[in-house]
Amino acid sequence: MRNRLKNWIEPGAFDTGFLLIVIALLTIGVVMMFSASYVFASYYTKTPYYFFERQALFAVAGVVLMLVVSHIRVTRFK
């Protein structure tokens, strides 16, 4: 089992600069979305943070998935 897992996982580190750019763009996007939807969410839902919470949750899940997929060998996607 462990040997099969070694065939799937790419050793080495990921690109830290790219990760920081992705985090910065996600942060800017979530803040912009929050400022644009605050009044709408407070009027139509129970909380003004409704859309912010959902978008932040999906952003975190996307970053986690990106980190997991970044360790898979490229040849496995063929």
Side-chain angles (χ1 to χ4, degrees), residues 14-76:
F14 53 90
D15 190 3
T16 308
F18 182 70
L19 178 66
L20 292 176
I21 291 171
V22 168
I23 297 295
L25 287 173
L26 272 173
T27 303
I28 292 169
V30 168
V31 168
M32 290 297 187
M33 188 276 318
F34 172 66
S35 68
S37 67
Y38 182 82
V39 174
F40 183 82
S42 64
Y43 186 75
Y44 287 105
T45 64
K46 297 176 185 175
T47 175
Y49 304 109
Y50 177 75
F51 295 112
F52 173 74
E53 291 169 349
R54 287 181 46 116
Q55 197 70 22
L57 176 71
F58 284 112
V60 169
V63 169
V64 169
L65 185 63
M66 178 188 72
L67 292 174
V68 168
V69 170
S70 71
H71 285 86
I72 297 175
R73 290 186 187 268
V74 175
T75 56
R76 291 294 174 178

